[in-house]
Amino acid sequence: DQQVKQNSPSLSVQEGRISILNCDYTNSMFDYFLWYKKYPAEGPTFLISISSIKDKNEDGRFTVFLNKSAKHLSLHIVPSQPGDSAVYFCAASQTGANNLFFGTGTRLTVIP
Amino acid sequence: NAGVTQTPKFRVLKTGQSMTLLCAQDMNHEYMYWYRQDPGMGLRLIHYSVGEGTTAKGEVPDGYNVSRLKKQNFLLGLESAAPSQTSVYFCASTLTGTDDYGYTFGSGTRLTVV
């Protein structure tokens, strides 16, 4: 049973525009959420995270929004750049647990 | 470069063969993890370790064994490989279980079992 879901397998965006990647989760005990970026033939790399006590976290061009009541988070990339083309994984964890639960990933293509 | 190193990067096994995947980290991290990634699925935790000499089962532990004899190394073993174990395997580490910067992953091992 997939506890973290990314329902869009792929997304294409023009360079300079905003990319919005979505993620839903089912476990209300999750209290820490992360986004990872993965290039082909490489391992995932950490991008940005958010704790459940916040509803927004920014880091440069990347912003993560958390809506706890909807069990939904999103990653906004603005402006999008061709180098952002990668697979993005959403992940969630619960304090004290020793596991990150990952979504299936969304492949972002930024068109120059 | 500092980080997580996985060996080998690629391997083809015949059904029933055994092999060991090696993960090494030089960041003095306490926690180490083995994940597998399959098409249409997120990364799933196989086994993990919270420190030298410890191991524990994750979501999908069947068919695998692990050992953490040294803090910097985490080994994943397949005693009798099956086609269902064809996957990309990722090792990860973190200083504590709840690092603000998430896990550091290796570049993966692509295993095919024929």
Side-chain angles (χ1 to χ4, degrees), chain A residues 25 27-34 49-57 64-69 71-73 91-95, chain B residues 100:
Chain A
Y25 61 96
N27 189 341
S28 59
M29 298 300 290
F30 288 150
D31 57 6
Y32 191 58
F33 305 89
L34 308 93
S49 65
I50 188 167
S51 163
S52 60
I53 63 173
K54 297 182 177 180
D55 55 16
K56 177 182 174 181
N57 189 26
V64 56
F65 294 92
L66 176 63
N67 182 334
K68 291 186 291 293
S69 61
K71 295 190 180 68
H72 176 83
L73 64 156
S93 70
Q94 176 183 344
T95 299
Chain B
D100 285 342

Side-chain angles (χ1 to χ4, degrees), chain B residues 36 46-47 57-65 84-85:
Chain B
R36 60 178 288 174
I46 305 171
H47 285 280
K57 294 180 180 179
E59 295 175 70
V60 289
D62 293 343
Y64 304 96
N65 56 74
S84 61
Q85 294 178 303

Side-chain angles (χ1 to χ4, degrees), chain B residues 42-75:
Chain B
L43 282 75
R44 293 180 294 167
L45 182 66
I46 305 171
H47 285 280
Y48 65 95
S49 168
V50 301
E52 181 178 321
T54 75
T55 63
K57 294 180 180 179
E59 295 175 70
V60 289
D62 293 343
Y64 304 96
N65 56 74
V66 288
S67 64
R68 182 108 181 261
L69 299 179
K70 294 183 179 180
K71 186 176 183 178
Q72 64 269 32
N73 295 336
F74 195 28
L75 278 63

Side-chain angles (χ1 to χ4, degrees), chain A residues 2 32 34 36 38 41-44 46 49 89 96-104, chain B residues 31 33 35 37 40-43 45 48 50 59 90 99-103 105-107:
Chain A
Q2 197 77 17
Y32 191 58
L34 308 93
Y36 283 82
K38 184 183 180 304
E42 295 183 10
F46 171 76
S49 65
F89 290 97
N98 291 301
N99 192 11
L100 277 182
F101 289 89
F102 286 82
T104 53
Chain B
Y31 290 65
Y33 310 82
Y35 282 86
Q37 183 192 9
M41 306 190 76
L43 282 75
L45 182 66
Y48 65 95
V50 301
E59 295 175 70
F90 289 101
D99 274 8
D100 285 342
Y101 297 100
Y103 296 3
F105 281 88
S107 59

